[in-house]
Amino acid sequence: MSPTPEAAPRQPARAAIAAFVGTTIEWYDFFIYGTAAALVFGPLFFAESTPFVATLAAFGTFAVGFLARPLGGLVFGHVGDRLGRKRALVVTLVMMGLATTGIGLLPTYASIGIWAPIALVCLRILQGIAVGGEWGGAVLLAAEHAPTGRATFFASFAQLGSPAGQILSLLAFRLAGLMDKESFLAWGWRLPFLVSVVLLFVGLFIRLGVGESPDFEKSRAAGPAPAPIREVLATALTPLALAAGANTFAIGSVYLFNTFMITYTTQYLGLPRATILDALLVAACFQLVMTPVGARIAELIRNERLFLQGTLIWAMLAPYPLFLLVDLGSVPALMLGLALNVVGSATFYAVIAGYVAGAFPTRVRYTAISVAYQVCGAVAGGLTPIIGTLLAERFQGHWWPIAVFGTTLAAISFVCVTALGRHRARAAVRA
């Protein structure tokens, strides 16, 4: 990724801030759906089912958003590689804001019957398409504006949007949850979704003030790829598959140790909803701090693969003390367990974006990293809460199967990170 032109010295900072703010809003919108799926969508949109079936159905609509994400990555990857990173990111932001606000206005099953879950699924699909196109563009907007040698650190600003969005979503539901249960179920749950329309205008104002990526401008001058996805599949299928596998832990861990954790602690351990939301809020704040720290450390040691491998070894071990502490049921124990887990997940997440982006040429980079990340998201993200719920139901009273599942997610990423590093080294020798 090339250095920033001297003519625009403030653009790297602006691009990093725009990537952070934009992804924060997108992930806020995406995360509040996951929180609502764990807390209220079951009884409100699947009222005739048992609590277990309603929870699975709610998480099923949650998974639909992930299944739509590869389509968003493909469509907006094409737009971003052909027409520009900035143009694609403006469209994804507007799409996400409108879909999320629509969910906040949606009638429930009690009002319109079967049309309520159908409409919920349709709006969730739009959310999935929007976030599918957002991530790759935000990473590249920051990384491709970065000064020489700083791409990993600047790309981490796009990754900061995930914990920041999680913090905002948890705060929104924490505040809405202060009202009595009847009011919360009747209308209080809608407020976090309706706030999205305000965030949309804030995000647009910031994002429109950033120039196009200098790397893209050079690529466009040389002639953009006429069909980016066809070129990726023809010339970069191996790194594409490895990049998808490398992201398994980055994506799956979020939805195992955040979204599913709400269900696990409230339904299977009987903890108050406020207890787990408070613990997750502290963990998200810790992740917000650890993300740039991890990116900076990786930048200083100048060996991203070694750094990622180290964080994944930690991540393979962390689920066991995590669940031991979670089962104690106290807020301090929950916070400590989640913090131990975040050390691995946050630092890994900070660096993986820049690491996989460096495996692809500029002319198809948006398409390649978007498709890799979102295909992984459709599998690792959408299915993780469902698998977690099934394991919790099948092995009630035993947390170790869920911990083994968390270790497996990290192990898959470890293998793929290692293989992708070797592929990049061979490609550099050939070049």
Side-chain angles (χ1 to χ4, degrees), residues 402-424:
I402 307 169
V404 170
F405 179 45
T407 297
T408 302
L409 295 174
I412 292 170
S413 285
F414 185 92
V415 171
C416 292
V417 162
T418 302
L420 184 61
R422 291 172 178 169
H423 178 86
R424 288 179 57 176

Side-chain angles (χ1 to χ4, degrees), residues 157-414:
F157 278 80
Q159 304 294 70
L160 277 174
S162 178
Q166 177 79 354
I167 290 168
L168 289 180
S169 69
L170 289 168
L171 282 174
F173 269 97
R174 187 70 179 89
L175 292 173
L178 293 176
M179 62 182 64
D180 62 271
K181 185 176 181 180
E182 184 177 339
S183 297
F184 178 73
L185 289 174
W187 58 270
W189 68 270
R190 299 180 183 276
L191 298 179
F193 290 89
L194 297 178
V195 167
S196 180
V197 72
V198 178
L199 298 177
L200 169 62
F201 286 108
V202 173
L204 279 176
F205 175 77
I206 295 173
R207 187 158 279 179
L208 289 171
V210 179
E212 184 53 83
S213 152
D215 279 16
F216 172 76
E217 295 289 14
K218 292 178 181 178
S219 176
R220 179 161 57 184
I229 187 58
R230 184 164 52 192
E231 184 170 325
V232 169
L233 294 176
T235 64
L237 188 58
T238 296
L240 182 71
L242 292 175
N247 276 295
T248 299
F249 178 71
I251 297 170
S253 65
V254 173
Y255 300 101
L256 181 63
F257 302 120
N258 288 277
T259 303
F260 166 72
M261 191 62 74
I262 296 173
T263 296
Y264 178 73
T265 53
T266 56
Q267 292 191 18
Y268 293 94
L269 299 183
L271 300 181
R273 179 179 63 201
T275 299
I276 182 59
L277 292 181
D278 288 344
L280 287 174
L281 178 60
V282 172
C285 291
F286 188 49
Q287 183 182 355
L288 189 67
V289 173
M290 288 301 300
T291 298
V293 170
R296 183 58 179 152
I297 292 172
E299 195 173 69
L300 289 173
I301 67 174
R302 299 183 181 181
N303 190 328
E304 292 175 331
R305 182 175 68 176
L306 181 62
F307 178 84
L308 289 169
Q309 289 170 327
T311 62
L312 287 168
I313 290 172
W314 178 284
M316 282 187 263
L317 300 174
Y320 304 95
L322 165 64
F323 279 100
L324 277 171
L325 290 164
V326 166
D327 270 18
L328 295 178
S330 69
V331 173
L334 280 168
M335 290 178 179
L336 178 59
L338 290 169
L340 289 173
N341 185 70
V342 163
V343 170
S345 61
T347 50
F348 176 79
Y349 191 65
V351 178
I352 191 62
Y355 184 72
V356 299
F360 304 98
T362 303
R363 59 191 267 117
V364 296
R365 188 177 289 150
Y366 197 145
T367 297
I369 69 170
S370 295
V371 170
Y373 188 84
Q374 304 309 340
V375 167
C376 179
V379 179
L383 296 181
T384 290
I386 295 175
I387 294 172
T389 301
L390 291 172
L391 289 172
E393 184 72 14
R394 172 66 179 81
F395 299 96
Q396 289 193 40
H398 301 282
W399 52 261
W400 64 264
I402 307 169
V404 170
F405 179 45
T407 297
T408 302
L409 295 174
I412 292 170
S413 285
F414 185 92

